Amino acid sequence: MASHRKPRSRTPGPRTAPVVGITTAALTSIALLSQSATAAPSAPPKPSLEEVQKKVDTLYHQAGVATEKYNSAKERTTKQQKRVGDLLDDVAQRTEKLNKARQELGTFAAAQYRTGAVSDTATLLLADDAQDYFDQDHLMSRLTSRQKKAVDDYQTEQAATTKKRTEAAKSLETLTTSQATLRSTKRDVQQKLGDARELLSKLTAEEKARLAAIEKKKQEAARKKAEELARQQAEAEAKRKAAEEARQKENPGTGSGSGTGAGSGSTGSGYAAKAAKVIDFAESQMGKPYVWGATGPDSYDCSGLTQAAWKAAGISLPRTTWDQVKVGTTVTTANAQPGDLVFFYDDISHVGIYIGDGKMIHAPKPGANVRVESIYYMPIHSVVRPA
């Protein structure tokens, strides 16, 4: 029996067109994604001038720290080289004495051999352990006083020479370590300075001019702080003199006191005379370039300048800022006197010579010359009076 259902009508062929459209869109998206994936990453944004200045200042500061490490390593290396040389000279002299003592023992041994006797001295020279042999009473009783002295001298020189050779070997090891540290810190300084130069070299002429304006603004702010300190010190000095004059009137003939400067009764004419020599020397070095690790006479780093200046006044300072800060008496910034050393940063990596009125002479950084600057140009750590 035939079915009375009507066959379902089918949609004509064009129904497949949307599938083709979707496929085309997908391929286009894949192509775009592929292009995005293979495209080079976008360049990082160019840092602002303030960021460049901060980075350069940080690199110079880090180079200053590395310079003081280099100075310290160089000082240790120099001392160690001298010690090693002295020890080697001492070993050579003791070896010569040891050889003479051995020759004298050999003379005794030869004499005993010619007489046909068993040579105790020869046996001694061939013994593995001389001390055990010396401990035998029968030998000691048969040695003459001269022979015994020769044996004692030989034993003493042998022990002393061995000890000095051991010391020399250890000193050579220490010297090798110091020399490695010296090379490492030198590379560190050079790397920091190279990075700073590279940053600055990428600036345009306009950017360099703007950076110079930022630097000038910083210097101006530091100058105003120095002027304020100078004003405060002048007021303190005026009060000190007024008080001294009042005491003079109340007690005539008591003298004018030895204090000099703002609120400082501890600095007398002796310190002032030395400080004058220090400042005279520092002023004569103005305009000479900063060179890391330099101690003069043609160039200086910061601690090299302070060391040379105080040497001109007859005072020997250590080489590094970290050691110089320990020499003398710490005073407040308000009581700073000409000749005092002003140290900067928490890590004490920079130093200048105070000349009064809130100013100092210092060797600033690579690319700059020895100059006068406000002590507020950098964060102050402490002020020290060396003598």
Side-chain angles (χ1 to χ4, degrees):
M1 185 173 183
S3 173
H4 294 283
R5 294 178 180 176
K6 294 181 179 180
R8 293 180 180 179
S9 59
R10 295 180 178 273
T11 306
R15 184 176 179 175
T16 60
V19 175
V20 175
I22 292 171
T23 304
T24 303
L27 289 173
T28 303
S29 299
I30 292 171
L32 290 173
L33 288 172
S34 176
Q35 290 174 2
S36 299
T38 57
S42 59
K46 188 175 181 179
S48 67
L49 279 179
E50 288 76 10
E51 290 173 335
V52 170
Q53 185 193 40
K54 185 177 180 180
K55 181 63 176 177
V56 169
D57 287 346
T58 298
L59 286 169
Y60 278 142
H61 178 206
Q62 291 173 346
V65 175
T67 295
E68 292 306 309
K69 289 181 180 178
Y70 172 85
N71 293 338
S72 179
K74 186 176 181 181
E75 188 175 42
R76 286 197 307 272
T77 300
T78 301
K79 289 180 179 178
Q80 203 62 37
Q81 284 175 331
K82 184 178 185 306
R83 174 166 173 74
V84 168
D86 291 343
L87 283 171
L88 291 177
D89 288 344
D90 191 16
V91 167
Q93 292 173 4
R94 291 182 181 278
T95 300
E96 185 177 355
K97 291 181 180 179
L98 183 63
N99 290 335
K100 288 181 179 179
R102 184 182 288 115
Q103 289 173 0
E104 189 170 4
L105 287 177
T107 301
F108 294 143
Q112 290 175 341
Y113 177 78
R114 285 194 298 270
T115 61
V118 177
S119 173
D120 294 323
T121 308
T123 306
L124 167 65
L125 291 175
L126 297 173
D128 293 332
D129 191 333
Q131 182 59 50
D132 289 344
Y133 192 69
F134 290 148
D135 290 339
Q136 299 179 38
D137 292 338
H138 73 277
L139 172 64
M140 301 304 292
S141 63
R142 292 167 59 185
L143 293 175
T144 66
S145 59
R146 182 183 174 190
Q147 289 174 326
K148 187 175 185 308
K149 183 178 183 304
V151 169
D152 289 342
D153 289 346
Y154 178 81
Q155 184 184 22
T156 300
E157 289 302 330
Q158 187 180 45
T161 303
T162 301
K163 180 180 178 181
K164 287 299 179 182
R165 281 174 178 163
T166 302
E167 287 182 25
K170 289 181 179 178
S171 292
L172 281 170
E173 290 178 5
T174 304
L175 176 59
T176 301
T177 301
S178 296
Q179 289 173 330
T181 303
L182 190 65
R183 290 190 294 270
S184 174
T185 52
K186 182 177 181 179
R187 287 194 298 269
D188 192 19
V189 173
Q190 292 172 332
Q191 179 66 48
K192 302 297 183 188
L193 296 180
D195 291 345
R197 284 192 294 268
E198 184 179 359
L199 276 174
L200 293 173
S201 68
K202 293 178 180 178
L203 298 178
T204 64
E206 180 185 353
E207 287 173 331
K208 289 179 181 179
R210 288 168 56 197
L211 192 64
I214 294 173
E215 175 69 11
K216 187 176 180 180
K217 186 177 180 181
K218 178 182 176 182
Q219 291 176 338
E220 181 63 20
R223 183 185 65 78
K224 289 181 178 179
K225 286 186 177 181
E227 289 176 350
E228 177 60 21
L229 176 62
R231 184 188 64 78
Q232 293 173 359
Q233 288 182 328
E235 288 180 356
E237 177 66 6
K239 289 179 180 178
R240 186 193 68 80
K241 287 183 177 180
E244 182 63 29
E245 289 174 0
R247 283 194 297 269
Q248 285 283 331
K249 291 179 181 179
E250 292 177 4
N251 304 292
T254 57
S256 60
S258 60
T260 61
S264 173
S266 62
T267 54
S269 58
Y271 182 80
K274 291 176 182 176
K277 292 180 180 179
V278 170
I279 294 173
D280 285 346
F281 178 88
E283 288 177 340
S284 69
Q285 308 309 305
M286 296 269 288
K288 292 185 178 180
Y290 175 102
V291 174
W292 66 272
T295 57
D298 299 321
S299 57
Y300 298 90
D301 63 18
C302 65
S303 55
L305 176 63
T306 53
Q307 184 187 47
W310 269 99
K311 184 179 181 181
I315 301 297
S316 178
L317 292 182
R319 176 64 182 92
T320 69
T321 55
W322 303 319
D323 291 327
Q324 289 181 7
V325 75
K326 301 174 185 176
V327 179
T329 304
T330 301
V331 299
T332 63
T333 303
N335 285 329
Q337 294 297 305
D340 291 351
L341 299 181
V342 187
F343 295 89
F344 300 91
Y345 300 110
D346 290 339
D347 53 20
I348 321 175
S349 56
H350 192 75
V351 63
I353 302 166
Y354 190 68
I355 60 174
D357 294 334
K359 301 175 184 177
M360 65 176 171
I361 294 176
H362 71 142
K365 59 187 177 182
N369 297 332
V370 176
R371 68 191 183 199
V372 174
E373 196 123 55
S374 166
I375 62 172
Y376 293 102
Y377 182 75
M378 295 167 282
I380 297 172
H381 175 272
S382 57
V383 181
V384 173
R385 190 158 296 150

